[in-house]
Amino acid sequence: MYKNIKVIYPDNFEVKTGFQQIRNMLQRYCLNRKGAAMAMQTTFTDDFNVISRLTGTAAEMVYLLRFTGNFPAQDYYDLSDALLQIRVPGTFCEPETLSELRLSLIAITDIIRYLNKLDDGNFPYLKSLTPESLPDQSIVKKIESIIDDKSEIRDKASEKLFSIRKEIRSRISGVDRRINQILATARREGIAQDDTELTIRNGRLVIPLPASNKRKLNGYVHDTSATGHTVFVEPAEVFEINNEIQNLRVEEKQEVARILVDLADFLRPFINDLLHYYSFLGEMDFIRAKALLAIEIGAVRPELINEPMIQWRKAVHPLLMIALKQQGRKIVDQDIDLSGNQRIMVISGPNAGGKSVCLKTAGLLQYMLQCGLLIPVSDDSKAGIFSKIFLEIGDEQSLENDLSTYSSHLIHIRNFIENSDRNSLILIDEFGAGTEPQLGGAMAEASLEKLNENGCFGIITTHYTNLKLMADKFQGVFNAAMLYDTQAMQPLFKLSPGKPGSSFAFEIAKKIGFPEKVLINATSKISQSQLDFEKQLAQLEVDKKFIEQKTAELKVADETLSSLVNRYETLLKNLESQRNEMLKEARNKAQQILEQSNRMIENTIRQIKESKADKEKTRALREKLEEEKTGLISDESSLITETKTFTIAPQDKEPLNKPGGKPGGPLKKGSFVRMEGQETIGKIEEIRGKQASVLFGSVKLRINIEKLVPATYAEIRSWEAGQRFSKPPVSVIHQLNDKMADFKMSIDIRGKKADEAQEAIVRYIDQAILLRVNEVRILHGKGDGVLRNILHAYLRDTPEVVRFEDESLERGGHGVTLVYFR
């Protein structure tokens, strides 16, 4: 029945998943009637290109609204119907409609100009929708020449209209002046009372007179008061002028109609183009509404994959998120993966633990995506495409069709089995429920096995143990659990794939104060194997949390150690290079001193010969030679001072200047050795029996003495040279190693006063930065938030801190802060 076509089952899928509420929210964001209609007509599609385009335009609009701004967002009037009406010659639009036409055309022009400024590479989808040209600006100018800002026809719309209105104003002015003169005369003559004022009846200015005086004023009675004591008379002279004004009003209307018909004739050739522009305006309004919805629910465009799969990170149910936000609570996000050999997820766990919410989240988000909407997941998520989505959730008992809940459930499952394939997503809540548990579990297991054979993807929630065990039997089926805090005895609403979850039925009953005797009796009525299974599941959950915590700590420690090793190796290379440079410089200086001394001696001998051994001359030359010698000795001392750090001299009694060979005698404390097959030289610090403690650099190892080989004299000299050279950095290394060994990856400042906490925080963060730790955990508690505020204020002002955030809910939430360093 449903083969090779897109299917959404059942018919009320949108109501059950909450998409109808999403649709209503989307419609409320629309400013334009056509955009709202597009929101209500949003439909599911499995066309990858269509989904890419729809989500692409929405994602680009989100960027514009959030980071660029100033996107035109007013006067989104849809005048399509009015334009269609004036296609018939002789018809025209009302001035208010023409005013909206002008404003909407200005809005369309502004949108097109805005989009034309965008870069094609960054906004390909919106650029592809942008019309090639602007609406004809002569239309706006023509309307502005006829309609003013108050949506009224201008006096100068035509010469005749200007003349008629000028005459009307002149006559009205004459009427006002003349009737006031008549009223003043009537007051003086006592025909009208002194406090009588002009009033209006039937659109005409009239004078209120006592009924007894109505014959004393020549005119026409328009009305009488309820008591009959007052009549409202329009003077005959004024009556004639008002009739003339009325005739002018008729002429004015006729001229206005003629002007509007002419304007409609002017617009008629542009109607088809204008209809296209209004379709564009409606689509931009719809895209803008999708972007505003995405901003409200924190939605993004995940990476789209043209095959069935789900790989969502930090997915949330948008409606639940909004509801919790109004209550000041934060929703727990979920990681959902359906792909490859893990296609059908069987979720188990306690009641009210979030299983159904997780299932509805998957159905709603997948449906939203394939309707072209962005979904609330993280940016690194991936989303595939399904041709069919089947949902079975809730009570479908039907009195009219004489169907029980379980019968209805079976009908749905039968449809799933008959029509699902590799492009299907199956969502079943409480699989097999509604009948005797053992039989219902067997039916559910057989059905799930068949669905797995069909190759479909799915999410199943259940309490049945036999369904939890299917992951070990069938490839494609895998377990997941909703986490539960076994100490606080409350659900954590967090999905954890990889293992089944316990229902915690007895634990929950005990927490709410269920009678203990009844609990004991209930425990005795279930098999020991079932009881052990539930206990093991609960213990697995506790063990998993502990292992995850230790794994995270080991990862941080491993990264820190790796960073330190890299730093020390770099430092060693730099020092080696500096030593070589200094030795080279020392040799050069020594050579210079030797050459200089030889020149001095030769020069002195030559001068003595030339002076023929004159005593005074010889003495003077000797004194000068002594002075030069003293200077050279001073230079040599300076040279020795500079290089003495790198001077290598034997320290042991052994004659290390021998050309080769090894020290004689047995190995003992202080002997230099190396391991068989290794080149690194170490020194024996202690020998116990056949085991020796050997120090290799900063690492001490216990090794069988038979695996040690005595080092040669040449190797020992080389080792001692390296020791003298590396002595300063080794000291630094030992200090850092000691600090690293004592450093804890978390600190507890609960109970401290503000100043004590501040001092502890500063000291701890400084140590973490010195040791190049990537991440630390600071426990400050919730309380009134004073310690948390002090910590966060300091972290914000510390440049080495990349970011900090609250710990996950199950591990402390707002009471613990995670700090990440550069």
Side-chain angles (χ1 to χ4, degrees), residues 121-161:
N122 294 329
F123 301 92
Y125 293 105
L126 288 177
K127 294 287 284 187
S128 67
L129 298 178
T130 308
E132 296 181 357
S133 60
L134 298 174
D136 196 312
Q137 299 304 297
S138 64
I139 300 175
V140 175
K141 293 179 181 178
K142 184 70 172 179
I143 295 175
E144 288 177 343
S145 68
I146 296 174
I147 310 295
D148 62 17
D149 293 338
K150 296 179 180 179
S151 300
E152 296 178 354
I153 304 295
R154 297 181 186 273
D155 290 350
K156 295 184 179 180
S158 72
E159 292 183 4
K160 183 176 182 180
L161 181 63

CSV table of all heavy atoms in Angstrom, one decimal, residues 121-161:
chain,number,residue,atom,x,y,z
A,121,GLY,N,28.7,33.7,-2.6
A,121,GLY,CA,29.3,32.5,-2.1
A,121,GLY,C,28.7,32.2,-0.7
A,121,GLY,O,28.6,31.0,-0.3
A,122,ASN,N,28.4,33.2,0.1
A,122,ASN,CA,27.9,33.0,1.5
A,122,ASN,C,26.4,32.9,1.6
A,122,ASN,O,25.9,32.3,2.6
A,122,ASN,CB,28.4,34.2,2.4
A,122,ASN,CG,29.9,34.2,2.5
A,122,ASN,OD1,30.5,33.2,2.5
A,122,ASN,ND2,30.4,35.4,2.6
A,123,PHE,N,25.7,33.4,0.6
A,123,PHE,CA,24.2,33.3,0.6
A,123,PHE,C,23.7,32.8,-0.7
A,123,PHE,O,22.9,33.5,-1.4
A,123,PHE,CB,23.6,34.7,0.9
A,123,PHE,CG,24.1,35.3,2.3
A,123,PHE,CD1,25.3,36.1,2.3
A,123,PHE,CD2,23.5,35.0,3.4
A,123,PHE,CE1,25.7,36.6,3.5
A,123,PHE,CE2,23.9,35.5,4.6
A,123,PHE,CZ,25.0,36.3,4.7
A,124,PRO,N,24.0,31.6,-1.1
A,124,PRO,CA,23.6,31.1,-2.4
A,124,PRO,C,22.1,30.9,-2.5
A,124,PRO,O,21.5,31.1,-3.6
A,124,PRO,CB,24.4,29.8,-2.6
A,124,PRO,CG,24.7,29.4,-1.2
A,124,PRO,CD,24.9,30.6,-0.4
A,125,TYR,N,21.5,30.4,-1.5
A,125,TYR,CA,20.1,30.1,-1.5
A,125,TYR,C,19.2,31.3,-1.6
A,125,TYR,O,18.3,31.4,-2.5
A,125,TYR,CB,19.7,29.2,-0.3
A,125,TYR,CG,20.3,27.9,-0.3
A,125,TYR,CD1,21.3,27.6,0.6
A,125,TYR,CD2,19.9,26.9,-1.2
A,125,TYR,CE1,21.9,26.3,0.6
A,125,TYR,CE2,20.5,25.6,-1.2
A,125,TYR,CZ,21.5,25.4,-0.3
A,125,TYR,OH,22.1,24.1,-0.3
A,126,LEU,N,19.5,32.3,-0.8
A,126,LEU,CA,18.7,33.6,-0.9
A,126,LEU,C,18.9,34.3,-2.2
A,126,LEU,O,18.0,34.9,-2.8
A,126,LEU,CB,19.0,34.5,0.3
A,126,LEU,CG,18.5,34.0,1.7
A,126,LEU,CD1,18.9,35.0,2.8
A,126,LEU,CD2,17.0,33.9,1.7
A,127,LYS,N,20.2,34.3,-2.6
A,127,LYS,CA,20.5,35.0,-3.9
A,127,LYS,C,19.8,34.3,-5.1
A,127,LYS,O,19.4,35.0,-6.0
A,127,LYS,CB,22.0,34.9,-4.2
A,127,LYS,CG,22.8,35.7,-3.2
A,127,LYS,CD,22.7,37.2,-3.3
A,127,LYS,CE,23.5,37.7,-4.5
A,127,LYS,NZ,23.5,39.2,-4.6
A,128,SER,N,19.6,33.0,-5.0
A,128,SER,CA,18.9,32.3,-6.1
A,128,SER,C,17.4,32.7,-6.1
A,128,SER,O,16.7,32.6,-7.2
A,128,SER,CB,19.0,30.8,-5.9
A,128,SER,OG,18.3,30.3,-4.8
A,129,LEU,N,16.8,33.2,-5.0
A,129,LEU,CA,15.4,33.6,-5.0
A,129,LEU,C,15.2,35.0,-5.4
A,129,LEU,O,14.1,35.5,-5.6
A,129,LEU,CB,14.8,33.4,-3.6
A,129,LEU,CG,14.8,31.9,-3.0
A,129,LEU,CD1,14.3,31.9,-1.6
A,129,LEU,CD2,14.0,31.0,-3.9
A,130,THR,N,16.3,35.8,-5.4
A,130,THR,CA,16.2,37.2,-5.6
A,130,THR,C,15.8,37.6,-7.1
A,130,THR,O,16.5,37.1,-8.0
A,130,THR,CB,17.5,37.9,-5.3
A,130,THR,OG1,17.9,37.5,-4.0
A,130,THR,CG2,17.4,39.5,-5.3
A,131,PRO,N,14.7,38.4,-7.3
A,131,PRO,CA,14.4,38.8,-8.6
A,131,PRO,C,15.5,39.5,-9.3
A,131,PRO,O,16.3,40.2,-8.7
A,131,PRO,CB,13.1,39.7,-8.4
A,131,PRO,CG,12.6,39.2,-7.1
A,131,PRO,CD,13.8,38.9,-6.3
A,132,GLU,N,15.5,39.4,-10.6
A,132,GLU,CA,16.6,40.0,-11.4
A,132,GLU,C,16.5,41.5,-11.4
A,132,GLU,O,17.5,42.3,-11.6
A,132,GLU,CB,16.7,39.5,-12.8
A,132,GLU,CG,17.0,38.0,-12.8
A,132,GLU,CD,17.1,37.4,-14.3
A,132,GLU,OE1,16.8,38.2,-15.2
A,132,GLU,OE2,17.4,36.3,-14.4
A,133,SER,N,15.2,42.0,-11.3
A,133,SER,CA,15.0,43.5,-11.4
A,133,SER,C,14.1,43.9,-10.3
A,133,SER,O,13.4,43.1,-9.6
A,133,SER,CB,14.4,43.8,-12.7
A,133,SER,OG,13.2,43.2,-12.9
A,134,LEU,N,14.1,45.3,-10.1
A,134,LEU,CA,13.2,45.9,-9.1
A,134,LEU,C,11.8,46.1,-9.7
A,134,LEU,O,11.7,46.2,-10.9
A,134,LEU,CB,13.8,47.2,-8.6
A,134,LEU,CG,15.2,47.1,-7.9
A,134,LEU,CD1,15.7,48.6,-7.7
A,134,LEU,CD2,15.1,46.4,-6.6
A,135,PRO,N,10.8,46.3,-8.8
A,135,PRO,CA,9.5,46.7,-9.3
A,135,PRO,C,9.6,48.0,-10.0
A,135,PRO,O,10.5,48.9,-9.6
A,135,PRO,CB,8.6,46.8,-8.0
A,135,PRO,CG,9.3,45.9,-7.0
A,135,PRO,CD,10.8,46.0,-7.3
A,136,ASP,N,8.8,48.3,-11.1
A,136,ASP,CA,8.9,49.5,-11.8
A,136,ASP,C,8.6,50.7,-10.9
A,136,ASP,O,7.5,50.8,-10.3
A,136,ASP,CB,7.9,49.5,-12.9
A,136,ASP,CG,8.1,50.5,-14.0
A,136,ASP,OD1,8.3,51.7,-13.6
A,136,ASP,OD2,8.1,50.2,-15.2
A,137,GLN,N,9.6,51.6,-10.7
A,137,GLN,CA,9.4,52.7,-9.8
A,137,GLN,C,8.4,53.7,-10.2
A,137,GLN,O,8.0,54.5,-9.4
A,137,GLN,CB,10.8,53.3,-9.5
A,137,GLN,CG,11.8,52.4,-8.9
A,137,GLN,CD,11.4,51.8,-7.6
A,137,GLN,OE1,11.2,52.5,-6.7
A,137,GLN,NE2,11.2,50.4,-7.6
A,138,SER,N,8.0,53.7,-11.5
A,138,SER,CA,7.0,54.6,-11.9
A,138,SER,C,5.7,54.3,-11.3
A,138,SER,O,4.9,55.3,-11.1
A,138,SER,CB,6.9,54.5,-13.5
A,138,SER,OG,6.4,53.3,-13.9
A,139,ILE,N,5.5,53.1,-10.8
A,139,ILE,CA,4.2,52.8,-10.2
A,139,ILE,C,4.1,53.5,-8.8
A,139,ILE,O,3.1,54.1,-8.5
A,139,ILE,CB,4.1,51.2,-9.9
A,139,ILE,CG1,4.1,50.5,-11.3
A,139,ILE,CG2,2.8,50.9,-9.1
A,139,ILE,CD1,4.2,49.0,-11.1
A,140,VAL,N,5.2,53.5,-8.1
A,140,VAL,CA,5.2,54.1,-6.8
A,140,VAL,C,5.1,55.6,-7.0
A,140,VAL,O,4.3,56.3,-6.2
A,140,VAL,CB,6.5,53.8,-6.0
A,140,VAL,CG1,6.6,54.6,-4.7
A,140,VAL,CG2,6.6,52.3,-5.7
A,141,LYS,N,5.8,56.2,-8.0
A,141,LYS,CA,5.7,57.6,-8.2
A,141,LYS,C,4.3,58.0,-8.6
A,141,LYS,O,3.7,59.1,-8.2
A,141,LYS,CB,6.7,58.0,-9.3
A,141,LYS,CG,8.1,57.9,-8.8
A,141,LYS,CD,9.1,58.3,-9.9
A,141,LYS,CE,10.6,58.1,-9.5
A,141,LYS,NZ,11.5,58.5,-10.6
A,142,LYS,N,3.6,57.2,-9.5
A,142,LYS,CA,2.3,57.5,-9.9
A,142,LYS,C,1.3,57.5,-8.8
A,142,LYS,O,0.5,58.4,-8.6
A,142,LYS,CB,1.9,56.5,-11.0
A,142,LYS,CG,0.5,56.7,-11.6
A,142,LYS,CD,0.5,57.9,-12.5
A,142,LYS,CE,-0.8,58.0,-13.2
A,142,LYS,NZ,-0.8,59.2,-14.1
A,143,ILE,N,1.4,56.5,-7.9
A,143,ILE,CA,0.5,56.4,-6.7
A,143,ILE,C,0.8,57.6,-5.8
A,143,ILE,O,-0.2,58.2,-5.3
A,143,ILE,CB,0.7,55.1,-6.0
A,143,ILE,CG1,0.3,53.9,-6.9
A,143,ILE,CG2,-0.1,55.1,-4.7
A,143,ILE,CD1,0.6,52.6,-6.3
A,144,GLU,N,2.1,58.0,-5.6
A,144,GLU,CA,2.4,59.1,-4.7
A,144,GLU,C,1.8,60.4,-5.2
A,144,GLU,O,1.5,61.3,-4.5
A,144,GLU,CB,3.9,59.2,-4.5
A,144,GLU,CG,4.4,58.1,-3.6
A,144,GLU,CD,5.9,58.2,-3.5
A,144,GLU,OE1,6.6,58.9,-4.3
A,144,GLU,OE2,6.5,57.5,-2.6
A,145,SER,N,1.7,60.5,-6.6
A,145,SER,CA,1.2,61.8,-7.2
A,145,SER,C,-0.3,61.9,-7.0
A,145,SER,O,-0.8,63.0,-7.1
A,145,SER,CB,1.6,61.8,-8.7
A,145,SER,OG,0.8,60.8,-9.4
A,146,ILE,N,-1.0,60.8,-6.6
A,146,ILE,CA,-2.4,60.8,-6.5
A,146,ILE,C,-2.9,60.6,-5.1
A,146,ILE,O,-3.8,61.3,-4.6
A,146,ILE,CB,-3.0,59.7,-7.4
A,146,ILE,CG1,-2.7,60.0,-8.9
A,146,ILE,CG2,-4.5,59.5,-7.2
A,146,ILE,CD1,-3.2,58.9,-9.8
A,147,ILE,N,-2.2,59.7,-4.3
A,147,ILE,CA,-2.6,59.4,-2.9
A,147,ILE,C,-1.6,60.0,-2.0
A,147,ILE,O,-0.4,59.9,-2.1
A,147,ILE,CB,-2.6,57.9,-2.7
A,147,ILE,CG1,-3.4,57.2,-3.8
A,147,ILE,CG2,-3.2,57.5,-1.3
A,147,ILE,CD1,-4.9,57.6,-3.8
A,148,ASP,N,-2.1,60.7,-0.9
A,148,ASP,CA,-1.2,61.3,0.1
A,148,ASP,C,-0.9,60.3,1.2
A,148,ASP,O,-1.4,59.1,1.2
A,148,ASP,CB,-1.7,62.6,0.6
A,148,ASP,CG,-3.1,62.4,1.4
A,148,ASP,OD1,-3.4,61.3,1.7
A,148,ASP,OD2,-3.8,63.4,1.6
A,149,ASP,N,-0.1,60.7,2.2
A,149,ASP,CA,0.2,59.8,3.3
A,149,ASP,C,-0.9,59.4,4.2
A,149,ASP,O,-0.8,58.4,4.9
A,149,ASP,CB,1.3,60.5,4.2
A,149,ASP,CG,2.6,60.7,3.4
A,149,ASP,OD1,2.9,60.0,2.5
A,149,ASP,OD2,3.4,61.6,3.8
A,150,LYS,N,-2.1,60.1,4.1
A,150,LYS,CA,-3.2,59.7,4.8
A,150,LYS,C,-4.2,58.9,4.0
A,150,LYS,O,-5.4,58.7,4.4
A,150,LYS,CB,-4.0,61.0,5.3
A,150,LYS,CG,-3.1,61.8,6.3
A,150,LYS,CD,-3.9,63.1,6.7
A,150,LYS,CE,-3.0,63.9,7.7
A,150,LYS,NZ,-3.8,65.2,8.1
A,151,SER,N,-3.7,58.3,2.9
A,151,SER,CA,-4.5,57.5,2.0
A,151,SER,C,-5.7,58.2,1.4
A,151,SER,O,-6.8,57.7,1.2
A,151,SER,CB,-5.0,56.2,2.8
A,151,SER,OG,-3.9,55.5,3.2
A,152,GLU,N,-5.6,59.5,1.2
A,152,GLU,CA,-6.6,60.3,0.6
A,152,GLU,C,-6.1,60.9,-0.8
A,152,GLU,O,-4.9,61.0,-1.0
A,152,GLU,CB,-7.0,61.5,1.5
A,152,GLU,CG,-7.6,61.1,2.8
A,152,GLU,CD,-7.9,62.3,3.7
A,152,GLU,OE1,-7.5,63.4,3.3
A,152,GLU,OE2,-8.4,62.1,4.8
A,153,ILE,N,-7.1,61.1,-1.7
A,153,ILE,CA,-6.8,61.6,-3.0
A,153,ILE,C,-6.3,63.1,-2.9
A,153,ILE,O,-6.9,63.9,-2.3
A,153,ILE,CB,-8.0,61.6,-4.0
A,153,ILE,CG1,-8.6,60.1,-4.0
A,153,ILE,CG2,-7.6,62.1,-5.4
A,153,ILE,CD1,-7.6,59.1,-4.6
A,154,ARG,N,-5.2,63.3,-3.5
A,154,ARG,CA,-4.6,64.7,-3.5
A,154,ARG,C,-5.5,65.6,-4.3
A,154,ARG,O,-6.1,65.3,-5.3
A,154,ARG,CB,-3.2,64.7,-4.0
A,154,ARG,CG,-2.2,63.9,-3.2
A,154,ARG,CD,-0.8,64.0,-3.8
A,154,ARG,NE,0.2,63.1,-3.2
A,154,ARG,CZ,0.9,63.4,-2.1
A,154,ARG,NH1,0.7,64.6,-1.6
A,154,ARG,NH2,1.7,62.6,-1.6
A,155,ASP,N,-5.5,66.9,-3.9
A,155,ASP,CA,-6.3,67.9,-4.6
A,155,ASP,C,-5.8,68.1,-6.0
A,155,ASP,O,-6.6,68.3,-7.0
A,155,ASP,CB,-6.3,69.3,-3.9
A,155,ASP,CG,-7.0,69.3,-2.6
A,155,ASP,OD1,-7.7,68.3,-2.3
A,155,ASP,OD2,-6.8,70.2,-1.8
A,156,LYS,N,-4.5,67.9,-6.2
A,156,LYS,CA,-3.9,68.2,-7.5
A,156,LYS,C,-3.8,66.9,-8.3
A,156,LYS,O,-3.1,66.8,-9.3
A,156,LYS,CB,-2.6,68.8,-7.4
A,156,LYS,CG,-2.6,70.2,-6.7
A,156,LYS,CD,-1.2,70.8,-6.7
A,156,LYS,CE,-1.3,72.2,-6.1
A,156,LYS,NZ,0.1,72.9,-6.0
A,157,ALA,N,-4.6,65.9,-8.0
A,157,ALA,CA,-4.6,64.7,-8.8
A,157,ALA,C,-5.1,65.0,-10.2
A,157,ALA,O,-4.8,64.3,-11.1
A,157,ALA,CB,-5.5,63.6,-8.1
A,158,SER,N,-6.0,66.0,-10.3
A,158,SER,CA,-6.4,66.5,-11.6
A,158,SER,C,-6.8,67.9,-11.4
A,158,SER,O,-7.2,68.4,-10.3
A,158,SER,CB,-7.6,65.7,-12.1
A,158,SER,OG,-8.8,65.9,-11.4
A,159,GLU,N,-6.8,68.7,-12.5
A,159,GLU,CA,-7.2,70.1,-12.5
A,159,GLU,C,-8.7,70.2,-12.1
A,159,GLU,O,-9.1,71.1,-11.3
A,159,GLU,CB,-7.0,70.8,-13.8
A,159,GLU,CG,-5.5,70.9,-14.2
A,159,GLU,CD,-5.3,71.6,-15.5
A,159,GLU,OE1,-6.3,72.1,-16.1
A,159,GLU,OE2,-4.1,71.7,-15.9
A,160,LYS,N,-9.5,69.3,-12.6
A,160,LYS,CA,-11.0,69.4,-12.3
A,160,LYS,C,-11.2,69.2,-10.8
A,160,LYS,O,-12.0,69.9,-10.2
A,160,LYS,CB,-11.7,68.4,-13.2
A,160,LYS,CG,-13.2,68.5,-13.0
A,160,LYS,CD,-14.0,67.5,-13.9
A,160,LYS,CE,-15.5,67.6,-13.8
A,160,LYS,NZ,-16.2,66.7,-14.7
A,161,LEU,N,-10.5,68.2,-10.3
A,161,LEU,CA,-10.7,67.9,-8.8
A,161,LEU,C,-10.3,69.1,-8.0
A,161,LEU,O,-10.9,69.4,-7.0
A,161,LEU,CB,-10.0,66.6,-8.5
A,161,LEU,CG,-10.1,66.2,-7.0
A,161,LEU,CD1,-11.5,65.8,-6.7
A,161,LEU,CD2,-9.2,65.0,-6.7
